[in-house]
Amino acid sequence: RDVLAMPTIVGVKSPSERFAGADETFTIEALMPNGWALQSGTSHFLGQSFGKAFDVTYQTSSEDKEIVWGTSWGVSTRLIGALIMTHSDNAGLVLPPRIAPVQVVIVPLGNAKKMSPEEQSQLQSSLDDLTSSLKVQGIRYKVDDRDYIRPGAKYFEWERKGVPLRIEIGPRDISKGSCVLAFRDPEKEKEFIPLLDIATQVSTSLEEVQQSLLEKAQERLSANVHVHVTSYEQMKNALENDEASSYPGSGLYLVPWNCNEENEDAIQKDCKATIRCYPLTMQGMAEGKTCFYSGEPATHMALFGRAF
């Protein structure tokens, strides 16, 4: 959430989805733009089963031997896939500034062969001042000074790579004491920023971009978790034509559920939906309700949906 700008739902897996041998599996589930879930990380509480199986002990403060309690946790390349799918668009990759290797690319403008020595000197001096001020702010930057590629091609390349911001600077900009700040977000217009203020403005803009990406992802998640589901048929009908290539998709369904492995398996076979988790903060909603599938007293609130 804070680094990848990717909100998730935190919960525990159902017994059938739990890691083999674990007492409990905790998960973070993200929602992709097509309405499908993606398990983005897990943490398994292994209890003492693995310690007993492999005879792993520790010495207590009273010098007794005890079987260790185990955990297993982490994230993998699935999280990278989730990051790419959550934010990117038809123009290419979109990276949140806090994770972007290059936060701002600087593209010098003008043909060096057609510049006077004075203009070349001013451009280089302005670039030196600009990069120094960015470095002081701790901003990761790249100067694209390749003279065999046109500026438009450079813009296209860095946009595809997901760089959040771009600075354009040439002799005419320098004569006005300013430069152009462009955004990876196609909805944002270019801005003309005084050279003396550019480092501060870049720092501010990076935080704004980070927050904007998180807000968009949070809005999508909130809008696509359906809580007013009155029957299994309602969910099944919504998911009937829900394919991975369909946008925005049907989303996820938070429903009262009586924990039953046979019923869970039947639902998966019937409409390809699985229990993504029992959300930790929503279990109080199950009290007094009946299971949307079996009609028995609900034991949990379960989050169902299609998933990668």
Side-chain angles (χ1 to χ4, degrees):
R1 182 182 181 89
D2 294 339
V3 177
L4 304 184
M6 194 173 74
T8 58
I9 295 174
V10 182
V12 295
K13 288 291 189 180
S14 65
S16 63
E17 292 280 340
R18 187 182 298 155
F19 181 72
D23 288 359
E24 202 74 89
T25 290
F26 297 85
T27 180
I28 50 174
E29 300 285 329
L31 179 73
M32 299 299 100
N34 70 341
W36 283 31
L38 195 152
Q39 178 183 294
S40 302
T42 51
S43 177
H44 313 291
F45 175 53
L46 305 177
Q48 293 182 301
S49 58
F50 284 82
K52 292 175 182 177
F54 295 99
D55 192 28
V56 183
T57 61
Y58 69 98
Q59 187 173 19
T60 67
S61 57
S62 59
E63 299 187 356
D64 294 324
K65 272 190 175 183
E66 293 284 352
I67 300 292
V68 299
W69 297 82
T71 61
S72 171
W73 45 269
V75 295
S76 69
T77 50
R78 293 174 64 85
L79 190 58
I80 298 175
L83 169 70
I84 293 170
M85 288 193 286
T86 296
H87 301 301
S88 299
D89 56 23
N90 290 337
L93 189 62
V94 174
L95 291 175
R98 291 180 190 168
I99 199 69
V102 177
Q103 295 174 310
V104 57
V105 61
I106 304 166
V107 180
L109 303 178
N111 189 331
K113 295 179 181 179
K114 296 181 179 180
M115 289 185 201
S116 68
E118 181 181 3
E119 287 176 326
Q120 292 185 37
S121 176
Q122 288 177 341
L123 179 57
Q124 188 58 55
S125 177
S126 296
L127 285 172
D128 291 342
D129 291 342
L130 174 57
T131 54
S132 294
S133 62
L134 293 175
K135 190 177 295 184
V136 168
Q137 294 276 1
I139 295 168
R140 299 185 291 277
Y141 65 87
K142 168 75 174 177
V143 179
D144 189 347
D145 55 4
R146 294 174 293 175
D147 58 7
Y148 54 89
I149 298 178
R150 292 180 178 275
K154 293 180 182 180
Y155 301 163
F156 180 62
E157 177 182 335
W158 291 107
E159 285 170 2
R160 281 189 304 160
K161 291 181 176 178
V163 174
L165 299 177
R166 182 179 73 243
I167 295 174
E168 304 165 13
I169 182 169
R172 280 186 290 185
D173 301 302
I174 293 170
S175 67
K176 299 174 184 177
S178 66
C179 62
V180 175
L181 183 63
F183 298 81
R184 174 60 180 80
D185 185 346
E187 296 180 4
K188 294 209 66 171
E189 299 289 336
K190 291 183 178 181
E191 298 177 3
F192 293 89
I193 309 296
L195 285 170
L196 294 176
D197 301 333
I198 186 61
T200 301
Q201 185 59 50
V202 165
S203 182
T204 300
S205 295
L206 288 173
E207 284 303 310
E208 290 174 351
V209 170
Q210 181 80 26
Q211 186 62 31
S212 175
L213 289 174
L214 175 59
E215 289 175 357
K216 288 179 182 178
Q218 183 62 62
E219 288 172 5
R220 181 168 60 240
L221 177 62
S222 300
N224 287 282
V225 175
H226 307 292
V227 296
H228 301 295
V229 182
T230 57
S231 69
Y232 168 67
E233 290 300 321
Q234 183 181 345
M235 183 184 79
K236 177 184 175 180
N237 292 338
L239 293 173
E240 188 172 1
N241 297 311
D242 189 20
E243 300 298 332
S245 58
S246 301
Y247 287 79
S250 298
L252 306 176
Y253 295 82
L254 182 68
V255 295
W257 171 251
N258 180 280
C259 187
N260 183 298
E261 190 170 338
E262 289 184 4
N263 288 343
E264 187 176 345
D265 185 57
I267 289 174
Q268 183 174 3
K269 290 177 180 177
D270 190 34
C271 68
K272 301 179 183 178
T274 57
I275 294 179
R276 305 315 310 148
C277 67
Y278 298 150
L280 292 180
T281 61
M282 301 173 185
Q283 292 312 300
M285 296 168 59
E287 187 175 350
K289 294 184 178 178
T290 57
C291 176
F292 88 130
Y293 185 78
S294 68
E296 299 177 80
T299 56
H300 298 83
M301 291 301 294
L303 190 69
F304 275 88
R306 300 286 297 275
F308 288 99

